[in-house]
Amino acid sequence: KTKSQKKMDKPLPVVEDALRDGEALIDGFSRIEILEEREIKDVSSMWNDRVRIFVGTIDGQEVLGVQQTHQFRSSKKLSFTDSFPDGIHREIPGSTAKNNKEGFELNALGLSTATKEPPEVSSSNQTDNTPQHYEVNLHSFFDFMPAPSFMRQHMKRSFPMKARVVVSRSLSRPLVVETDDPENSTRLSETLCYAFTKERVGPTFLGFGPGKFERAIKHYSLSQSNEEGDETTSCSMTMTGLIAPRSKQIMNIHGFCPLYQSLKALDTLTFGVFNIFENIKTNIEFYLMDYHAKVHKRMLEVWLQNEGVEMAR
């Protein structure tokens, strides 16, 4: 090992925790018991999207989830390992990869307590299980907020939405066991997953979001097929987000969430007859997960644009 590699032997605790918790969510995905779910379909000129939002449990632990499937045709084959985000770290280690001012950017971070610098990159990094630590800056996060333009711009400047995540090959595996299908032998599949670390880097007033999740992952599954004679590739990409447990706060103002506390007070005043807190809490969480799906769709559009992909129906 080189001197730099020896320094990397002791990962940051937040990295170890995120990897352990992320693997637990992936292992538990097949055991989710759905308590309530909703599906939203969006068909546009270039996309055929389905968004599934659900509340459930894994071995008694509450979990909140979203699954979003994009179906489209691409002018070229796509690959996570050649671009986002693992490939970015290999191509320009220690640099900022600015994908789009209106989209997102990735910053490679250090992994160990011994150094804050990104690790040295060698050809072996392409095949080993060395985790990659990133800070993601979501420039487009407030674009979908139902507010006047000047307010959205103010939120972007004053409260930039950021998250810190860990990518690892131990996480980037299928959520469910896939069986061989001879009829789809030409279909290529690839997965990518990252886990959110418990590092507060975003808006301080949020009580539920990046850095505030106890356990959370974002998982991508990409499958592609090209029939003989086709000039374009048929693509299907599914994003799955899992958060456990569900929200305890939405806002955090000196440890106090005025919204949830007010709802609990109403429940107390009505003796819990109408179950106000749980009903409205579920609606809020479903709205937030649908909002998350909109942000993810914008990220995907930016990624495809940077890959030079021309989309067709």
Side-chain angles (χ1 to χ4, degrees), residues 103-121:
F104 64 97
E105 67 183 65
L106 298 167
N107 295 291
L109 302 172
L111 281 169
S112 76
T113 54
T115 176
K116 295 301 180 182
E117 296 300 320
E120 287 185 0
V121 180

Side-chain angles (χ1 to χ4, degrees), residues 67-300:
Q67 277 195 316
Q68 182 179 35
T69 300
H70 305 282
Q71 294 176 330
F72 57 95
R73 300 194 69 86
S74 169
S75 58
K76 59 182 286 190
K77 281 187 168 59
L78 303 170
S79 175
F80 291 135
T81 56
D82 290 341
S83 47
F84 168 72
D86 195 31
I88 288 177
H89 185 270
R90 290 200 301 267
E91 293 168 10
I92 40 177
S95 301
T96 297
K98 292 186 177 179
N99 291 46
N100 190 301
K101 286 185 177 180
E102 299 303 318
F104 64 97
E105 67 183 65
L106 298 167
N107 295 291
L109 302 172
L111 281 169
S112 76
T113 54
T115 176
K116 295 301 180 182
E117 296 300 320
E120 287 185 0
V121 180
S122 65
S123 58
S124 64
N125 284 70
Q126 300 184 27
T127 56
D128 67 19
N129 193 37
T130 302
Q132 308 292 338
H133 193 195
Y134 293 96
E135 183 172 289
V136 186
N137 194 335
L138 299 172
H139 298 297
S140 61
F141 183 83
F142 293 106
D143 288 355
F144 307 97
M145 189 172 70
S149 177
F150 75 88
M151 186 175 294
R152 293 196 297 268
Q153 292 302 318
H154 169 72
M155 294 296 287
K156 277 187 178 184
R157 291 190 301 268
S158 303
F159 304 102
M161 178 58 72
K162 299 180 180 181
R164 288 192 175 179
V165 301
V166 177
V167 183
S168 170
R169 294 189 185 279
S170 65
L171 294 173
S172 299
R173 50 192 167 94
L175 285 172
V176 294
V177 177
E178 297 180 353
T179 57
D180 294 331
D181 185 352
E183 295 184 1
N184 288 321
S185 57
T186 59
R187 183 169 289 274
L188 302 175
S189 297
E190 192 175 351
T191 57
L192 171 74
C193 179
Y194 54 79
F196 290 82
T197 64
K198 299 175 189 175
E199 298 174 272
R200 194 178 76 177
V201 292
T204 57
F205 66 89
L206 293 180
F208 187 65
K212 304 294 180 65
F213 300 134
E214 286 295 317
R215 294 174 293 281
I217 61 168
K218 177 112 42 102
H219 183 281
Y220 300 87
S221 175
L222 171 66
S223 59
Q224 304 173 86
S225 63
N226 187 270
E227 300 295 334
E228 187 175 350
D230 280 356
E231 295 182 358
T232 57
T233 299
S234 175
C235 303
S236 178
M237 180 184 289
T238 299
M239 180 276 291
T240 302
L242 291 177
I243 302 169
R246 294 172 61 187
S247 63
K248 297 177 181 177
Q249 294 180 320
I250 292 298
M251 293 177 281
N252 186 344
I253 302 175
H254 302 294
F256 178 74
C257 180
L259 179 58
Y260 276 9
Q261 292 301 322
S262 298
L263 293 174
K264 289 178 180 179
L266 284 174
D267 251 350
T268 301
L269 291 173
T270 56
F271 303 102
V273 173
F274 303 105
N275 203 14
I276 296 172
F277 173 67
E278 283 300 327
N279 288 333
I280 296 182
K281 174 184 175 180
T282 299
N283 285 327
I284 290 172
E285 290 176 331
F286 277 22
Y287 171 80
L288 292 176
M289 298 305 275
D290 182 44
Y291 191 98
H292 176 86
K294 290 182 173 67
V295 174
H296 166 259
K297 182 176 177 180
R298 174 66 58 82
M299 292 177 67
L300 177 59

